[in-house]
Amino acid sequence: MKFKLAASAALAVLFSATTAFAQDTLEVVSGPTGQRAVTVPTYGPLGQSFTAIDEHLTSFGFQFELFNPGHANSPFTFQLLSGEGLGGSVVTSKTFTLPTSINDRTATWFDFDLTGTDVTVGNKYTAVLSTSSLRYGVVLGPEININTGQILGGDAYAGGTALFTTVPYSNCGPTGGCDLNFRVTGYNDVAAVPEPAAWGMMIGGFGLAGGALRRRKADRTTVRFA
């Protein structure tokens, strides 16, 4: 009985390690000062394709600027589509409304919750935005010299590209080097490694098990004389 209990305790510690996760954030900023931004109704629906690096997504965000303060603060619709393009199947969707504190001089991040969204690592997906209001624009890059139109940067993200219904800039075509400023957070499941205290319990448990086994063996070989 002692052997069974000790072994059970050791195995319980071995298999009681719960699944942990390592959080990751992929953030792409190719127009940090917000010199370039586009309103969604003018050029969209618009999107950003990306390559998944995590199995489970927890949030997604874009950078926004105020364009037309007199326009209604209408909600945005976000869709995550499979594949690279605006016509993929819908993985998940979300509706959100931006805070009125976003101004026209500062590129401002807004992130929304995607907890429970599972994707395949290494596959491409497209984050698509649509709205009816011209109030806010989405920041993108690379930046340009506003006087000459010269592009001031290269492709900030090789794993995807900005996608538009109507292309606003020459470098924002399907194979161009234009990206929306975006970030996606997620995690991958990893097997948890037992902590030092757990290892100690395991070792102690197996030691007790071994001791009990030796005692049982000794009991069996005892010779009794009448």
Side-chain angles (χ1 to χ4, degrees):
M1 179 61 70
K2 291 181 180 179
F3 168 75
K4 291 182 179 179
L5 291 175
S8 298
L11 291 174
V13 173
L14 179 61
F15 292 108
S16 65
T18 58
T19 300
F21 62 87
Q23 186 104 339
D24 299 305
T25 299
L26 168 64
E27 182 173 301
V28 175
V29 178
S30 53
T33 67
Q35 286 184 350
R36 301 175 72 183
V38 295
T39 54
V40 175
T42 304
Y43 301 103
L46 55 83
Q48 172 68 43
S49 62
F50 66 98
T51 303
I53 62 173
D54 293 295
E55 300 169 281
H56 314 289
L57 304 187
T58 54
S59 69
F60 207 101
F62 295 94
Q63 277 189 326
F64 295 89
E65 280 189 351
L66 179 66
F67 259 58
N68 301 289
H71 286 235
N73 189 16
S74 301
F76 281 78
T77 297
F78 167 86
Q79 289 185 314
L80 181 66
L81 307 181
S82 60
E84 185 171 66
L86 300 175
S89 59
V90 178
V91 177
T92 190
S93 61
K94 185 86 173 182
T95 300
F96 63 91
T97 302
L98 294 176
T100 56
S101 57
I102 294 177
N103 61 53
D104 62 348
R105 298 181 182 275
T106 306
T108 303
W109 285 107
F110 183 83
D111 302 272
F112 42 90
D113 182 62
L114 285 185
T115 301
T117 303
D118 296 335
V119 295
T120 301
V121 174
N123 283 7
K124 283 197 173 183
Y125 297 86
T126 301
V128 180
L129 288 176
S130 59
T131 185
S132 60
S133 177
L134 296 171
R135 181 181 177 88
Y136 295 108
V138 183
V139 181
L140 69 158
E143 294 182 344
I144 61 171
N145 183 317
I146 59 175
N147 298 312
T148 65
Q150 179 185 2
I151 297 174
L152 302 179
D155 187 1
Y157 177 57
T161 187
L163 299 162
F164 305 87
T165 305
T166 303
V167 179
Y169 301 107
S170 60
N171 68 309
C172 288
T175 59
C178 190
D179 293 291
L180 305 181
N181 284 6
F182 76 98
R183 63 187 179 193
V184 55
T185 301
Y187 65 93
N188 288 308
D189 292 330
V190 293
V193 178
E195 296 183 358
W199 280 114
M201 291 180 64
M202 287 172 57
I203 294 170
F206 283 120
L208 290 172
L213 181 60
R214 286 193 297 271
R215 284 194 297 273
R216 289 186 64 184
K217 185 176 182 180
D219 291 342
R220 291 174 182 172
T221 55
T222 299
V223 178
R224 180 176 298 174
F225 294 95

